[in-house]
Amino acid sequence: MLWSYNAEASLMPASAVKLFTTGYARSVLGGSARRATRLVGSGVVDPKTGEWLGNWALEVNGDPSLERAEGSGPTLYDLALQLRDAGIRKLNGPLQVISSDGPADAVYPSVWSPRHMGRIFAPLVGPLMVHENVVWFTVRPGRRVGQRARLIETAPSGITSLVTVSATTRHGRRSRLRLMPRRGGGWVVAGTIGVRAAPRRLSTTARDPKAVASAVWAASLRKAGISWRPSRKPKLPLDDTPRVLAEVVSPPLDSLASEINRRSLNAGAELL
């Protein structure tokens, strides 16, 4: 021990401890370290049809900036564009999600208080992180009283298929909107919104990050001009050493650490 101060005193760790977490991560990894998200596969491209003849998987590695709403991080659309540039126009098979460090999942950290589960500042955390495992839905009133409210924005982009809007437009400016789980996955925006009300944003944590990733991936492929048939079986299994078909990387650790501390981002600190 070279230095200490009140070493025996108990304290509530709170968010100031993120400084120690990020500082130690930097000392081990270096300030220029980055986290990669890749599409890996085993197979070849049919030069005539552009079909990927083989298996493929999305490799996620806990990048807290993936699909960040501010546009300052990598996106799955970036991966899709790289596939298109490689001549791939068709993909078959369900989305496989893997990680280079172990299971590609996201869980509620056991050291977090159970009473915070589901709150925006306490999402699921793990290698599978898309938009910090938080979703936003922005709705505006219909054009006339009695009409259905309109969905005008989602974050991450591309998850429209996961939300159903049942909220109706009423007189005035007041709104009473709520998010409810949808049977089979996704969410329902219910309640009422005033015809003269400004757009309202509703936020919640992702209960099934893989479903969110799948929706974003499907939208990204469509935008890139690549057709995806999840129900069609790939022609080859994924071998033990698949090659990298596309790759995007996070900003350097110094940039991530700065944002994690500035925003007091719990999920980011847990990933570090």
Side-chain angles (χ1 to χ4, degrees):
M1 177 68 69
L2 301 180
W3 176 88
S4 68
Y5 180 75
N6 288 342
E8 304 303 321
S10 300
L11 78 161
M12 184 67 69
S15 291
V17 176
K18 291 184 177 67
L19 294 171
F20 296 100
T21 302
T22 53
Y24 180 71
R26 189 183 193 280
S27 71
V28 173
L29 301 172
S32 60
R34 299 173 185 263
R35 298 299 282 174
T37 301
R38 306 181 179 97
L39 197 80
V40 298
S42 308
V44 296
V45 182
D46 187 324
K48 294 183 179 180
T49 65
E51 182 178 359
W52 176 251
L53 303 176
N55 215 316
W56 55 275
L58 180 65
E59 182 191 290
V60 291
N61 295 300
D63 176 5
S65 69
L66 183 64
E67 292 289 340
R68 192 156 53 190
E70 294 83 357
S72 55
T75 67
L76 297 183
Y77 178 57
D78 297 330
L79 286 179
L81 287 178
Q82 292 180 38
L83 294 185
R84 186 186 68 184
D85 293 343
I88 297 176
R89 296 293 183 270
K90 298 179 182 179
L91 282 179
N92 297 320
L95 177 64
Q96 299 183 71
V97 182
I98 63 174
S99 172
S100 62
D101 298 327
D105 55 9
V107 300
Y108 190 78
S110 60
V111 294
W112 289 4
S113 172
R115 66 189 178 91
H116 296 314
M117 189 176 296
R119 297 186 180 183
I120 294 298
F121 59 82
L124 302 182
V125 181
L128 180 54
M129 296 290 292
V130 178
H131 192 252
E132 300 173 8
N133 285 346
V134 171
V135 296
W136 300 343
F137 305 113
T138 305
V139 297
R140 69 185 310 168
R143 292 179 175 85
R144 292 188 297 273
V145 172
Q147 289 186 339
R148 192 77 55 86
R150 293 172 288 167
L151 181 68
I152 60 173
E153 179 193 32
T154 69
S157 178
I159 60 171
T160 305
S161 61
L162 297 180
V163 59
T164 301
V165 179
S166 65
T168 56
T169 306
R170 57 175 293 175
H171 290 285
R173 297 180 180 272
R174 302 183 68 176
S175 302
R176 292 184 177 179
L177 297 171
R178 61 187 184 279
L179 273 177
M180 303 185 303
R182 188 177 70 181
R183 180 176 298 179
W187 297 268
V188 175
V189 179
T192 60
I193 183 169
V195 69
R196 292 183 292 158
R200 297 288 197 270
R201 173 182 287 176
L202 296 92
S203 305
T204 188
T205 57
R207 295 173 292 114
D208 186 353
K210 185 177 179 180
V212 173
S214 183
V216 175
W217 180 236
S220 299
L221 290 174
R222 286 194 301 270
K223 187 177 178 181
I226 300 174
S227 66
W228 176 30
R229 293 173 288 188
S231 59
R232 178 167 292 189
K233 187 177 180 180
K235 297 184 178 181
L236 292 172
L238 190 67
D239 61 31
D240 293 333
T241 56
R243 62 187 177 95
V244 176
L245 306 178
E247 179 180 272
V248 293
V249 296
S250 71
L253 188 144
D254 275 351
S255 176
L256 294 177
S258 176
E259 182 182 11
I260 287 168
N261 284 286
R262 177 175 56 83
R263 294 175 50 204
S264 193
L265 184 64
N266 294 329
E270 193 73 21
L271 286 171
L272 289 180

